Amino acid sequence: MIYISGDIPEVHKVLIIGAGPTGLAAALHLERQNGLSSTVYEIRPEPTALGGAVMVPCNGLRLPGSIGLYERLSLKAAQSTKNVLYSSQGEELGKLVLGSWSAEKTGYWPMRVKRTDLQEALCTEAQTEEIPIHYGKRLVSNKDHDKKVTVMFSDGSVDTADLLLGLFRHLDHLFFVPVSVLPPKGGVTNLTGTLTPHKMFALMPCTASGDTLYWVFSYEVPMPASGSSSSRDGWAERSRIEEEGFKPTLLAILNDVPTKWGALLREVVGKTDVVKFYPIYRLRLGGKWSRGRCLLIGDAAHAMSPHVGQGVSMALEDVFLLSRVLELK
Ligand SMILES: Cc1cc2nc3c(=O)[nH]c(=O)nc-3n(C[C@H](O)[C@H](O)[C@H](O)COP(=O)(O)OP(=O)(O)OC[C@H]3O[C@@H](n4cnc5c(N)ncnc54)[C@H](O)[C@@H]3O)c2cc1C
C-alpha cells in the first residue's frame, strides 16, 4: 500500500535499482502508462534469474495483461488448475480446483512459469521499449537535493532523476527452500503436495508443454556457525553442506511413503541433477518504505513467504498503484 502524504512530486525520469520482476515491470509500465523514462541498474553482471518457478495468480496476471505480457507468458507457463494432496502414506486425500472463484471473477487462471521465462519476457519487452538496463552496478548511496535524487555506484558513476525506486534489505534468517528443475517426466500434470512427518513436499509442472517438473521441500535449519544472519560466508558454507547432504536425507524421508506415488517421488528426487538452497529472509516489521524521493516496492518493501505464491503479484500491484498515484499529478 502506498500512502500519499503532501504533494505528489513532479516526475519525468525514474531510477530503478534492481532488474528483478519488480524493477523491469515498473520500468515498462511507467514508460507505457505514464510516459516516464526509466533507467534500471542491476548489481549482477548479466541478466540472470535464480532457478525454479513461480506461481502467478489472477491478481498478478491481470496486470501483465495490460503491459502486453500475458500472451507471452501463456505460451510458456503451465496452467493446470488442480491441486492434489497426498498423505504421508502416499494416498490421495483430495483434489481442489485452484483459483476457480477468482478465475470466474477476473478471467485469469493461476499460471506457473519458470523464473527464467518470466525474466526473459520482461527483458524482451524492456528491449522493445529501449529501456536502458545497466548490469554490474552496485548502489552504494543516494542523496536528495534540489527536488532531485542522485545515486552513486561502487564504480564511482552517478545518475540523477526525480524518483528512485530501490531495494534496501534488512535480513533475518527464516528457513531454506531447496528447488530443482527436472528432466522430462510424465505422469504429473497437477500441482501436488505430499505430507511428510517433516514438511510438505510439493511437485508440479511449470511449463506449457509439461516437459519440466519443479519441486520444493522447505524446512528450518540452524543459523550458520560462522558469521551473522546476513553473513554471505556463513550462508555460502551452510548451503554447500546442505546441498551435499540433502538428496540422501530427503530420499530417506520419502522412503517412508509407500505406494506407487512414493516410488515416483523418490525417482524424481533421485533423477534431479542440481539441488539449490535458497535462504529466505524475513523483513523486520516497522521498516520505512519511503524517504524523500526514494520509494521501496516489491520484495524490498514486503517480501513474503514463497509458499503463498504472491511475491510477483504483489510487486506488480505496487507498480500499478504507483503509476496511478503519479497520474494524479
Ligand atoms: C524459492 C522461492 C519461491 C518463490 N515462489 C514464488 C511464487 O510461487 N509466486 C510468487 O509470486 N513469488 C514467489 N517467490 C517470490 C518472488 O520470487 C519475489 O517476490 C520476486 O522475485 C520479487 O521481485 P523483486 O524484483 O521485488 O525482487 P528480486 O527478484 O529480489 O530482484 C531484486 C534485484 O535487485 C538486485 N539488487 C539487489 N541489491 C542491489 C544493489 N545494491 N544495487 C543494484 N541491484 C541490486 C538483485 O540482484 C535482483 O536482481 C518465490 C521466492 C523464492 C525464493
Side-chain angles (χ1 to χ4, degrees):
M1 185 173 296
I2 297 171
Y3 294 97
I4 309 167
S5 64
D7 286 343
I8 299 161
E10 183 109 12
V11 175
H12 302 284
K13 178 179 171 186
V14 183
L15 298 178
I16 297 175
I17 307 300
T22 314
L24 295 174
L28 272 169
H29 190 59
L30 293 179
E31 166 89 35
R32 289 180 178 169
Q33 183 67 24
N34 302 72
L36 301 179
S37 72
S38 299
T39 305
V40 183
Y41 291 97
E42 166 60 43
I43 199 167
R44 293 190 183 126
E46 60 195 20
T48 39
L50 295 173
V54 288
M55 185 171 92
V56 190
C58 70
N59 61 321
L61 287 176
R62 69 195 168 88
L63 303 180
S66 51
I67 48 176
L69 269 185
Y70 183 79
E71 299 302 324
R72 204 184 277 278
L73 288 183
S74 318
L75 295 175
K76 301 273 183 175
Q79 297 208 44
S80 55
T81 53
K82 267 193 214 128
N83 184 1
V84 188
L85 189 64
Y86 292 86
S87 73
S88 59
Q89 295 304 300
E91 271 151 18
E92 194 180 304
L93 292 174
K95 282 194 182 83
L96 171 78
V97 177
L98 269 187
S100 54
W101 183 86
S102 40
E104 205 177 289
K105 303 270 170 213
T106 64
Y108 294 104
W109 288 92
M111 274 184 189
R112 276 183 311 283
V113 61
K114 282 161 86 177
R115 246 167 227 278
T116 42
D117 288 339
L118 173 64
Q119 199 71 7
E120 194 190 315
L122 284 162
C123 279
T124 306
E125 287 292 320
Q127 272 165 11
T128 309
E129 290 293 343
E130 299 182 357
I131 293 167
I133 308 175
H134 301 284
Y135 292 92
K137 291 283 192 178
R138 178 191 289 271
L139 174 78
V140 287
S141 66
N142 63 285
K143 195 175 171 198
D144 281 18
H145 59 93
D146 310 322
K147 298 191 175 173
K148 299 269 176 204
V149 56
T150 292
V151 294
M152 277 138 278
F153 297 96
S154 54
D155 60 4
S157 58
V158 295
D159 199 353
T160 297
D162 309 296
L163 179 65
L164 172 64
L165 300 180
L167 301 119
F168 299 85
R169 295 218 156 165
H170 303 281
L171 310 177
D172 271 325
H173 164 234
L174 186 59
F175 48 74
F176 283 111
V177 182
V179 176
S180 185
V181 177
L182 297 168
K185 179 86 191 113
V188 181
T189 51
N190 301 309
L191 166 59
T192 70
T194 304
L195 304 172
T196 80
H198 300 267
K199 288 275 168 153
M200 175 130 74
F201 180 89
L203 173 67
M204 63 210 87
C206 62
T207 55
S209 64
D211 66 350
T212 309
L213 298 181
Y214 165 69
W215 58 264
V216 178
F217 185 74
S218 59
Y219 60 104
E220 293 190 22
V221 298
M223 296 281 284
S226 62
S228 67
S229 63
S230 58
S231 154
R232 279 176 185 269
D233 292 345
W235 286 120
E237 176 61 8
R238 181 81 211 189
S239 296
R240 192 186 58 74
I241 294 167
E242 293 290 339
E243 281 168 15
E244 271 175 20
F246 178 69
K247 264 171 80 169
T249 309
L250 181 56
L251 283 170
I253 292 170
L254 294 174
N255 250 339
D256 293 337
V257 183
T259 71
K260 270 192 194 162
W261 180 247
L264 173 67
L265 297 187
R266 287 190 291 280
E267 196 184 337
V268 162
V269 172
K271 286 194 172 158
T272 302
D273 288 335
V274 182
V275 177
K276 288 277 177 208
F277 277 80
Y278 294 100
I280 308 295
Y281 300 105
R282 179 180 280 166
L283 291 174
R284 288 195 188 103
L285 292 176
K288 283 194 81 172
W289 292 359
S290 70
R291 194 182 60 209
R293 286 177 173 260
C294 173
L295 177 68
L296 299 184
I297 58 173
D299 268 16
H302 46 63
M304 55 183 74
S305 161
H307 304 91
V308 295
Q310 271 293 339
V312 170
S313 298
M314 294 298 285
L316 292 171
E317 296 221 23
D318 289 354
V319 168
F320 278 68
L321 182 57
L322 172 65
S323 159
R324 283 171 65 183
V325 169
L326 292 173
E327 273 174 353
L328 296 176
K329 179 70 194 171

